[in-house]
Amino acid sequence: MIALAWSLVILLFVVGMIGAVYPILPGVLAIYAAFFIYGWLVSFEPFGWVFWTTQTLIVIIILVADYAVSAMGVKKFGGSKAAVIGSTIGLIIGPFVIPAFGLIIGPFLGAVIGEIIIGTNWKKAISAGIGSVVGFFASSAVKIVLQLAMIILFLIWVL
């Protein structure tokens, strides 16, 4: 049972880390689920209220920061709310339409299209698109660091 538990935990950790960059995967929620899998298949004994409070706060921070950091990238480069919405839509749809490059092209085009729809000039729309890509990379970096912290804390608690 322990081998199965660790296999599932590691699988969820891998899915979670890939999800930090690839938004179709559950990311932080996969890592959080790994803690429950470990608890159900091995033991919840190592986890106390400090562990759950810390991990839950990190999850909340990641979920809020994911949107906020991406939006800040768009806004920093002069984008409007329409660019933020377009970038988010492009981030979700992009990987399906353009599998290899959709993670970068999707948010860029989404932000540009969002700006064009509201009547922004091309130069400012392109700038917002660049901001969406910068925001995506910054958001991914924040998620990777915080998700690694979650995994490290888990390992400290159980090992």
Side-chain angles (χ1 to χ4, degrees), residues 75-128:
K75 296 224 182 245
K76 184 87 171 160
F77 281 72
S80 66
K81 188 174 184 176
V84 172
I85 293 168
S87 174
T88 302
I89 292 168
L91 185 61
I92 294 168
I93 295 172
F96 292 113
V97 177
I98 311 165
F101 302 103
L103 283 173
I104 297 170
I105 295 171
F108 176 83
L109 287 178
V112 170
I113 292 168
E115 287 294 321
I116 297 298
I117 287 173
I118 64 167
T120 304
N121 68 48
W122 277 97
K123 187 174 181 175
K124 189 172 179 183
I126 297 292
S127 181

Side-chain angles (χ1 to χ4, degrees), residues 3-4 14 35 39-40 43 46 54 59 62 92-93 96-98 118 125 128 134-135 137 140 158:
L4 173 64
V14 169
F35 308 151
W40 289 322
S43 173
T54 303
V59 169
I62 289 173
I92 294 168
I93 295 172
F96 292 113
V97 177
I98 311 165
I118 64 167
V134 170
F137 283 120
S140 294
V158 299

